[in-house]
Amino acid sequence: MDRYRYFIFNQRNMVVLGLFQIAFSTVCVVSGFIDGVFRTESQLGKTRAPIWAGMVMGVPGVLALFSSQRKNPVLVNVLIVASIISCVAILIVIVYSSLTLNYGEEEELSSAPVHVIHTKFVLNKVVKGANVAMLAASVSSAFVVLVIAYLGCRSLPCCSCYDSVTGMVSEE
């Protein structure tokens, strides 16, 4: 009966959660590129942490799409581990975007021409917008990743809600 257990894994929910996770990861990577291109040079900005962390954040989304189609316990275990690693990457993005929201962008432009002042002002707002987008996407991604991990854990045979006789989830 154990092989029937993985049919309980709700395919529709995992596909939707996987797509949301990939979308949040894409927002993080694109905002990281914007942040990297338009930010004034700083040690923290040179790390390109949001780009790498955004790529790591997308792995559970891809695995959720695969695990919704193939009922494989090894794939579900890898999904759970990738979700935990993604939580660490999300924490990195949250810390980065919180620290760089105002870090390194205030410059003295009193002697610069007017068009340079306007350009710097617009680019400053673009970088702040990218940081806010990264922050919002990473917080939302944390919620989605935790739900993905929870659903993955519930579909494992070692889960306490699993009935080994019928192969069904006990609704409590």
Side-chain angles (χ1 to χ4, degrees):
M1 278 313 253
D2 282 344
R3 63 187 172 149
Y4 298 110
R5 170 69 172 136
Y6 291 94
F7 291 113
I8 305 302
F9 201 59
N10 194 331
Q11 293 179 353
R12 195 171 348 137
N13 288 346
M14 288 306 277
V15 168
V16 170
L17 289 171
L19 290 175
F20 272 130
Q21 184 63 22
I22 291 171
F24 292 139
S25 169
T26 304
V27 167
C28 188
V29 169
V30 169
S31 297
F33 274 123
I34 291 171
D35 182 68
V37 169
F38 295 123
R39 173 172 296 284
T40 56
E41 287 300 315
S42 66
Q43 288 298 79
L44 193 59
K46 289 180 184 177
T47 61
R48 307 294 185 243
I51 297 169
W52 296 109
M55 290 179 188
V56 171
M57 286 168 48
V59 172
V62 172
L63 289 174
L65 293 176
F66 284 130
S67 68
S68 69
Q69 301 303 316
R70 297 183 179 260
K71 311 307 184 273
N72 186 347
V74 174
L75 186 59
V76 175
N77 284 327
V78 171
L79 170 69
I80 294 168
V81 170
S83 296
I84 293 168
I85 293 171
S86 180
C87 285
V88 173
I90 290 168
L91 183 64
I92 290 171
V93 172
I94 289 173
V95 168
Y96 178 88
S97 59
S98 297
L99 287 176
T100 60
L101 201 54
N102 288 322
Y103 176 71
E105 293 303 316
E106 279 70 25
E107 294 180 21
E108 189 62 41
L109 296 173
S110 60
S111 63
V114 173
H115 70 282
V116 172
I117 293 173
H118 289 291
T119 303
K120 291 283 187 177
F121 177 76
V122 169
L123 291 180
N124 187 15
K125 295 300 179 189
V126 167
V127 169
K128 284 184 181 182
N131 280 324
V132 169
M134 277 190 289
L135 193 58
S138 59
V139 168
S140 302
S141 178
F143 175 73
V144 170
V145 149
L146 291 174
V147 171
I148 287 173
Y150 173 73
L151 290 176
C153 287
R154 281 191 53 100
S155 73
L156 293 175
C158 61
C159 179
S160 63
C161 60
Y162 175 71
D163 182 11
S164 62
V165 176
T166 63
M168 299 296 218
V169 175
S170 60
E171 298 296 326
E172 296 178 40

